[in-house]
Amino acid sequence: MTIAPLNPFGLQKEFAARLRRRRIHLGLSKQELAARVGVSLTTIQQYENRQLPKGEYAVRLAEALRCTLDWLLAGKGDADGDAPDTAEARLVMVPLVEARLSAGTGSFETSGEVLRHYAFRWDFLHRKGNPAWMALLRVSGDSMQPRILHNDVVLIDQAQREPAPGRIYAVGVEDMVYLKIVNAVPGKLILSSVNPAYAPIEAETGEQLADLVRIIGRAVWVGRELD
């Protein structure tokens, strides 16, 4: 029996197809992806034209596309990391991004620059939602006390944007980001606090205001650092 040699051009073609498919799935332009990876637009175009990324740029590309490196480069498992046999034991690095969630009067939404990463078990994240769409944000304010405290870190699943009664969400209102209990009524969202000192916020959700009021994602876990 003879074994056919690996075809590097075939591997590159499949990589380029996965890259383009994932980019389009996430709604990213080539320029947006280039900015996230820290490379030029020309480099992204070369990747989609079958040039394989090297070293740290391959890791950055997988992070920007919210997929596993194994899937992106070799097609192993699936894009969201649900590979059989080893998924339960795998660690996923979740980014802590530079955007403070205000549990109070609101805080300005920042660039979303990644400050550092924290390791979570894949099976834990999978029970909470979609690991590929999760990010950590730090809380500022006391409106969610005693449930969530000032300076806590909250895990947000950006794949969960449909409001469910009584759940806590990160909500963008104009240029502010709030952490609130969300309830929906026709034409508006009611954003409530746990702390009774804070009155509910009523946010209009008409078609013209869709870009001003947006649910960023559901809070699925909270952690705090001990002094």
Side-chain angles (χ1 to χ4, degrees):
M1 179 179 67
T2 60
I3 300 175
L6 289 175
N7 181 357
F9 297 104
L11 294 176
Q12 293 168 358
K13 180 180 179 180
E14 292 169 0
F15 157 75
R18 283 190 296 272
L19 168 58
R20 184 174 184 276
R21 185 167 67 249
R22 185 66 175 178
R23 176 179 63 77
I24 293 173
H25 172 73
L26 296 178
L28 296 174
S29 68
K30 293 179 183 178
Q31 187 64 66
E32 290 170 329
L33 180 58
R36 292 190 180 191
V37 179
V39 297
S40 67
L41 173 60
T42 299
T43 299
I44 295 300
Q45 291 171 335
Q46 290 172 342
Y47 290 161
E48 292 199 1
N49 196 31
R50 307 183 187 182
Q51 176 178 306
L52 293 174
K54 298 180 180 179
E56 64 175 301
Y57 291 104
V59 176
R60 290 185 192 178
L61 193 60
E63 289 178 349
L65 292 170
R66 296 173 179 171
C67 64
T68 67
L69 194 58
D70 282 348
W71 176 83
L72 182 61
L73 296 181
K76 296 180 179 179
D78 66 26
D80 295 330
D82 189 9
D85 301 328
T86 61
E88 291 74 12
R90 183 182 301 120
L91 293 179
V92 175
M93 302 303 293
V94 178
L96 174 67
V97 300
E98 186 181 359
R100 291 182 73 85
L101 289 174
S102 178
T105 56
S107 66
F108 286 101
E109 185 174 11
T110 63
S111 64
E113 179 182 351
V114 175
L115 301 177
R116 61 184 67 91
H117 289 80
Y118 289 89
F120 287 80
R121 282 180 60 106
W122 182 92
D123 55 333
F124 169 80
L125 295 180
H126 190 63
R127 288 196 300 270
K128 298 292 185 181
N130 188 336
W133 286 89
M134 291 184 179
L136 293 162
L137 298 169
R138 195 173 295 278
V139 173
S140 175
D142 64 353
S143 76
M144 299 303 287
Q145 291 185 7
R147 190 168 178 181
I148 300 175
L149 305 181
H150 173 70
N151 222 36
D152 280 352
V153 174
V154 177
L155 181 65
I156 304 295
D157 182 2
Q158 298 171 89
Q160 299 185 49
R161 296 185 179 181
E162 290 297 324
R167 301 294 187 180
I168 297 176
Y169 293 84
V171 184
V173 181
E174 296 185 345
D175 55 359
M176 301 290 195
V177 178
Y178 297 88
L179 188 67
K180 297 293 181 183
I181 299 170
V182 175
N183 288 286
V185 297
K188 64 178 61 176
L189 296 175
I190 309 299
L191 312 179
S192 304
S193 304
V194 174
N195 188 337
Y198 291 83
I201 300 171
E202 294 189 2
E204 301 290 339
T205 58
E207 184 176 343
Q208 294 180 339
L209 299 176
D211 292 334
L212 302 179
V213 180
R214 61 211 179 278
I215 296 180
I216 298 170
R218 181 184 160 198
V220 296
W221 176 87
V222 60
R224 63 180 51 106
E225 299 173 357
L226 299 177
D227 294 333

